[in-house]
Amino acid sequence: MRLIQNMCTIAEYPAPGSAAADYCLGAAGRRLVKIAVVGASGVGKTALVVRFLTKRFIGDYERNAGNLYTRQVQIEGETLAIQVQDTPGVQVHENGLSCNEQLNRCIRWADAVVIVFSITDHKSYELIGQLHQHVQQLHPGTRLPVVVVANKADLLHIKQVDPQLGLQLAGMLGCSFYEVSVSENYNDVYNAFHILCKEVSHKQQPNSTPEKRRTSLIPRPKSPNMQDLKRRFKQALSAKVRTVTSV
Ligand SMILES: Nc1nc2c(ncn2[C@@H]2O[C@H](COP(=O)(O)OP(=O)(O)OP(=O)(O)O)[C@@H](O)[C@H]2O)c(=O)[nH]1
């Protein structure tokens, strides 16, 4: 598959800011959006990434080795280079979340994060809040764009989590939410990544969003001042008095 040519592992990935990392921007000097995909083991992270990149669903994958994939996407007429980092499943211990340094490095590297859970695994849902908090802690002073993805929507007969709960939780955390079936639907997967790229793109160029540009071009209507209002009120009043007296 073509994506293999664009793949390396976290360990191989050059340190952010290095010349080698800049090279990843691509010869065309495109803007780069870096996305990390995190979540519990077995929720379908690799399947999600591969589906997004190839449009295909392949049933079985090797246990995750932390692969990095690259592709280009069109966002509002601009071609962006995006890198998607698949990560090993998060472990939970008695004291809570256990994220190894490899995973932390990947989260720090990212401009945006996809947090995945499976509707067939309640434990993976319980991780969302902690994972979100952990992600934000690794990016102090900024609000990293995050999308919560509820996967395996085709397995309703063995569901342990109502997707509605995922929606509510994502809302509370201030994240976008997508319910997807990686195995059955490509469009939802694409949309989840697309909305994240859009959010990052707007964050990278806050003054160049079409909405902002448009509002800055349209002159704001002047609000009437008090003197003007009084004058108009008097005019209206005297016109009424005139009408009444003439009857
Ligand atoms: N029915 C169904 N199965 C899925 C779906 N997505 C993934 N799977 C299956 O779930 C299993 C785990 O998928 P992976 O993509 O390897 O999960 P992962 O989160 O990367 O797992 P780790 O590498 O262990 O962290 C595989 O057997 C997939 O085929 C889905 O939408 N529906």
Side-chain angles (χ1 to χ4, degrees), residues 10-11 13 15 100-110:
I10 300 176
Y13 185 75
N100 62 25
E101 193 38 44
Q102 186 190 25
L103 181 60
N104 288 342
R105 192 149 74 93
C106 175
I107 294 172
R108 276 194 216 99
W109 159 89

Side-chain angles (χ1 to χ4, degrees), residues 206-223:
N207 297 322
S208 68
T209 58
E211 288 80 7
K212 287 246 170 92
R213 253 185 269 126
R214 214 178 301 132
T215 48
S216 65
L217 289 176
I218 301 169
R220 292 169 82 207
K222 281 188 189 152
S223 57

Side-chain angles (χ1 to χ4, degrees), residues 1-241:
M1 279 185 292
R2 194 153 50 97
L3 81 101
I4 299 297
Q5 293 168 359
N6 297 328
M7 192 177 84
C8 61
T9 65
I10 300 176
E12 292 164 8
Y13 185 75
S18 68
D22 290 345
Y23 173 77
C24 289
L25 261 168
R30 298 211 156 91
R31 282 202 292 142
L32 177 67
V33 175
K34 293 168 287 179
I35 299 176
V37 180
V38 301
S41 190
V43 294
K45 297 183 296 299
T46 307
L48 179 85
V49 174
V50 172
R51 180 71 138 154
F52 171 59
L53 293 159
T54 68
K55 295 193 176 178
R56 293 186 203 162
F57 175 70
I58 304 156
D60 280 315
Y61 306 90
E62 273 180 33
R63 223 180 145 73
N64 192 284
N67 293 325
L68 179 77
Y69 306 90
T70 307
R71 73 168 273 186
Q72 294 180 355
V73 283
Q74 286 279 331
I75 302 286
E76 293 167 336
E78 182 187 355
T79 305
L80 301 179
I82 72 164
Q83 290 184 327
V84 185
Q85 178 71 70
D86 192 4
T87 64
V90 173
Q91 307 292 324
V92 191
H93 294 302
E94 297 122 38
N95 309 336
L97 216 62
S98 157
C99 298
N100 62 25
E101 193 38 44
Q102 186 190 25
L103 181 60
N104 288 342
R105 192 149 74 93
C106 175
I107 294 172
R108 276 194 216 99
W109 159 89
D111 299 315
V113 169
V114 181
I115 301 181
V116 190
F117 74 94
S118 164
I119 67 158
T120 63
D121 176 3
H122 200 273
K123 285 210 161 65
S124 70
Y125 165 75
E126 290 164 21
L127 276 182
I128 301 293
Q130 292 179 65
L131 255 175
H132 181 265
Q133 196 182 6
H134 186 67
V135 165
Q136 301 301 346
Q137 275 168 358
L138 290 178
H139 286 268
T142 180
R143 214 198 116 268
L144 204 77
V146 173
V147 62
V148 174
V149 169
N151 187 30
K152 307 199 184 182
D154 55 298
L155 298 178
L156 277 177
H157 54 291
I158 51 166
K159 83 168 179 199
Q160 293 183 0
V161 187
D162 191 328
Q164 200 60 28
L165 288 176
L167 176 66
Q168 281 169 12
L169 182 58
M172 273 161 50
L173 299 172
C175 307
S176 315
F177 174 79
Y178 276 86
E179 182 189 350
V180 308
S181 166
V182 171
S183 66
E184 295 197 346
N185 189 314
Y186 167 73
N187 286 341
D188 294 337
V189 172
Y190 176 82
N191 288 338
F193 279 95
H194 194 262
I195 197 153
L196 208 50
C197 292
K198 219 163 151 179
E199 222 181 305
V200 174
S201 168
H202 288 181
K203 212 173 158 218
Q204 286 176 346
Q205 295 195 316
N207 297 322
S208 68
T209 58
E211 288 80 7
K212 287 246 170 92
R213 253 185 269 126
R214 214 178 301 132
T215 48
S216 65
L217 289 176
I218 301 169
R220 292 169 82 207
K222 281 188 189 152
S223 57
N225 59 32
M226 279 312 286
Q227 295 290 342
D228 195 32
L229 275 178
K230 274 186 196 166
R231 190 176 48 77
R232 280 197 241 165
F233 182 68
K234 270 186 190 163
Q235 269 176 2
L237 206 64
S238 63
K240 217 170 193 179
V241 171

